[in-house]
Amino acid sequence: MCRSIKTLRPPALPEEATEEDIRAAALQYVRKVSGFRAPAAHNQEVFDHAVEAIAEATAELLSGLEVRGRPARSAG
């Protein structure tokens, strides 16, 4: 599942993931789980909310990870 979602932490990325990287991964996840590439108008709000919630959770996860001796970065 979600094979097109890339790992967003070093060393998979040479630098830290951007907000754009995180949102793109969240969007891919929601598309895969929902089965919709683009939701119908009556589902747009819940679709967008899910993308934002997953992006926030992903950013929190990435900010708290310690990767091979690298300190956790501060949430920001």
Side-chain angles (χ1 to χ4, degrees), residues 22-41:
I22 292 170
R23 188 170 193 302
L27 178 59
Q28 279 300 108
Y29 177 82
V30 172
R31 284 176 173 168
K32 185 69 169 188
V33 170
S34 70
F36 297 114
R37 175 156 174 73

Side-chain angles (χ1 to χ4, degrees), residues 14-75:
E15 69 285 338
E16 292 186 8
T18 64
E19 286 184 36
E20 184 178 314
D21 295 327
I22 292 170
R23 188 170 193 302
L27 178 59
Q28 279 300 108
Y29 177 82
V30 172
R31 284 176 173 168
K32 185 69 169 188
V33 170
S34 70
F36 297 114
R37 175 156 174 73
H42 63 277
N43 287 326
Q44 188 69 53
E45 185 177 345
V46 71
F47 189 92
D48 291 344
H49 177 73
V51 171
E52 293 308 314
I54 292 166
E56 288 177 22
T58 300
E60 184 179 334
L61 169 68
L62 292 174
S63 71
L65 289 175
E66 292 184 34
V67 181
R68 297 182 189 226
R70 293 177 122 185
R73 60 186 180 136
S74 60

